[in-house]
Amino acid sequence: MTGRRNAARRWSGLRLIVAALVLATQVQAQETPVPLLTLDQDRFFLQSDFGKAVVERERTATAALEQENKRIEAELIAEEQALTEERKTLPAKDFSAKAEAFDQKVERIRDEQDAKARALTEGRDKDRKSFLQAAVPVLGELLGQKQAAAILDKNLVIVSLSAIDVTDEAIAAVNKALAAKPAPTP
């Protein structure tokens, strides 16, 4: 029974692909506007001026955080080595207290650095959301200009004509629309 279901699914998928190819051929042969458009959302964001500014700011902030982490790590290693040396001369009770304080310090610093990394991620997500909110009117305008019914994410489309990909036009349009707005700030 399972074999029949799998075979039916394969035929169903094959029929869908054949129907899409037939539809694509018919759309290409017609002189009427294309009813559906595709957009590569990642490229739309990353190649826009806004996206490039966000990526550059994020690279700078990430590099600064990595440098800070390396500096802190070096300081903690030196402090740990000094503590190890003190172990030889300190009474066990005193060493234990210093070791516990050092462990707490390491945990606190780890939590702080993790919070900074999360803030970077949250900032990236916020910037992307802001970009998409600003881009919706631009995409709506493009949709109207092309007299299309919808803009689909290119990565979710199995088969399409390259003629329906409006990513380059959308990048140019959003750059123009957002040119008057200030670049994203940290």
Side-chain angles (χ1 to χ4, degrees), residues 126-147:
K126 181 181 172 188
D127 287 338
R128 196 163 182 116
K129 189 179 281 185
S130 295
F131 173 76
L132 290 175
Q133 287 174 342
V136 166
V138 173
L139 294 175
E141 173 100 10
L142 190 58
L143 189 69
Q145 289 172 358
K146 298 286 187 178
Q147 298 178 345

Side-chain angles (χ1 to χ4, degrees), residues 1-162:
M1 191 67 152
T2 305
R4 287 185 189 166
R5 275 192 229 137
N6 287 338
R9 286 184 190 144
R10 279 182 286 213
W11 279 107
S12 172
L14 183 59
R15 279 188 244 145
L16 179 62
I17 291 171
V18 169
L21 289 172
V22 168
L23 178 63
T25 304
Q26 290 174 348
V27 168
Q28 186 177 21
Q30 295 176 4
E31 293 295 323
T32 59
V34 178
L36 296 175
L37 304 172
T38 62
L39 177 81
D40 183 329
Q41 287 189 62
D42 288 332
R43 194 163 66 84
F44 178 51
F45 177 73
L46 294 172
Q47 291 183 3
S48 71
D49 293 340
F50 184 97
K52 288 175 184 176
V54 166
V55 168
E56 184 56 36
R57 187 186 76 238
E58 185 179 332
R59 273 192 198 125
T60 302
T62 300
L65 183 59
E66 288 172 358
Q67 287 299 97
E68 181 180 9
N69 286 341
K70 286 178 184 178
R71 179 187 53 77
I72 291 170
E73 180 182 18
E75 290 171 0
L76 289 174
I77 288 171
E79 189 174 337
E80 182 180 36
Q81 289 171 346
L83 188 60
T84 301
E85 287 299 314
E86 283 185 69
R87 181 179 196 173
K88 297 173 187 174
T89 59
L90 285 177
K93 186 177 179 180
D94 292 343
F95 174 77
S96 181
K98 281 190 163 195
E100 178 64 28
F102 177 75
D103 287 343
Q104 288 175 357
K105 178 180 179 179
V106 169
E107 287 298 318
R108 179 185 49 78
I109 290 172
R110 183 179 297 134
D111 290 344
E112 290 170 356
Q113 297 308 102
D114 286 348
K116 291 176 184 178
R118 277 192 308 276
L120 285 175
T121 300
E122 290 168 2
R124 178 182 54 231
D125 294 344
K126 181 181 172 188
D127 287 338
R128 196 163 182 116
K129 189 179 281 185
S130 295
F131 173 76
L132 290 175
Q133 287 174 342
V136 166
V138 173
L139 294 175
E141 173 100 10
L142 190 58
L143 189 69
Q145 289 172 358
K146 298 286 187 178
Q147 298 178 345
I151 299 176
L152 306 173
D153 184 341
K154 185 176 182 175
N155 297 320
L156 299 177
V157 176
I158 297 171
V159 178
S160 70
L161 299 172
S162 62

